[in-house]
């Protein structure tokens, strides 16, 4: 058996972020009828990941992501035209359009390239939601946050 070493607590530093890009990315578990979405937010200036949620394509997923983003004090959100954004974000804090979401779209392309389960046409897929979310979460934690997995 491998010896388990206790990991020391890590300090989290929350910084103020003025602008964020948000987008969602489609994937599936078992079959294309069982859809799973990666809801993702990044800092508009630096491209750093602020938070992500793996959930169905529903307003509750955006609400969960917004809860994760609350400590950052974000004043402006850039998104596409998906209805949840229009329903849940304040119009004065929300800008719709592809001009300001290029960085997050590029990040999604990187994820699709490196995680074959996220590719649109593939024979690689997850058989359980738990495994699907675990694989994507581990990759994001390692690639974006530099955390050992």
């Amino acid at each position: 058996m491998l010896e388990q070493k206790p990991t020391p607590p890590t300090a989290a530093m929350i910084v103020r972020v003025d602008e964020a890009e948000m987008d969602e990315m489609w994937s599936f578990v078992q079959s294309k009828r069982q859809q799973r979405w990666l809801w993702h937010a990044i800092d508009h200036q630096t491209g750093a990941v602020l938070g992500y949620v793996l959930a169905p394509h529903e307003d509750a997923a955006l609400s969960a992501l917004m809860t994760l983003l609350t400590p950052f004090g974000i004043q402006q959100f850039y998104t596409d035209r998906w209805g949840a954004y229009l329903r849940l974000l304040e119009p004065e804090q929300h800008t719709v359009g592809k001009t300001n979401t290029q960085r997050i779209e590029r990040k999604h392309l990187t994820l699709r390239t490196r995680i074959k389960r996220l590719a649109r046409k593939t024979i690689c897929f997850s058989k359980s939601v738990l495994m699907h979310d675990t694989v994507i979460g581990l990759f994001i934690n390692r690639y974006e946050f530099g955390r050992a997995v």
Side-chain angles (χ1 to χ4, degrees):
M1 289 186 53
L2 297 173
E3 184 179 318
Q4 294 289 327
K5 294 181 181 180
T7 56
T10 56
M13 185 174 83
I14 304 291
V15 295
R16 182 163 177 76
V17 174
D18 293 324
E19 302 172 313
E21 298 176 28
M22 291 196 303
D23 198 17
E24 69 284 345
M25 181 169 55
W26 175 84
S27 61
F28 66 92
V29 176
Q30 196 71 34
S31 72
K32 291 184 179 179
R33 286 186 302 263
Q34 191 174 350
Q35 297 183 7
R36 197 81 177 143
W37 292 79
L38 169 63
W39 295 76
H40 206 189
I42 65 170
D43 184 342
H44 183 63
Q45 300 302 319
T46 66
V49 173
L50 303 173
Y52 67 93
V53 173
L54 289 153
H57 207 220
E58 299 171 355
D59 290 2
L62 179 58
S63 296
L65 181 59
M66 294 301 293
T67 301
L68 293 175
L69 299 177
T70 301
F72 294 103
I74 301 168
Q75 297 299 312
Q76 187 65 41
F77 295 97
Y78 301 112
T79 70
D80 56 15
R81 201 171 290 281
W82 177 246
Y85 300 123
L86 301 173
R87 288 187 292 276
L88 299 179
L89 296 175
E90 298 296 327
E92 60 274 359
Q93 291 184 311
H94 183 215
T95 303
V96 176
K98 292 289 182 185
T99 305
N100 292 310
T101 59
Q102 292 176 359
R103 196 172 257 167
I104 197 163
E105 295 289 353
R106 177 66 189 106
K107 201 167 282 277
H108 284 175
L109 183 59
T110 299
L111 288 172
R112 275 201 179 93
T113 302
R114 295 187 177 176
I115 305 173
K116 295 304 173 202
R117 306 167 193 250
L118 296 176
R120 290 185 176 125
K121 292 185 178 184
T122 182
I123 60 170
C124 302
F125 61 91
S126 299
K127 292 183 179 181
S128 73
V129 172
L130 175 66
M131 188 57 89
H132 183 79
D133 292 358
T134 300
V135 167
I136 294 169
L138 286 172
F139 181 84
I140 291 173
N141 285 325
R142 178 69 177 148
Y143 181 74
E144 297 293 344
F145 303 128
R147 303 205 53 195
V149 291

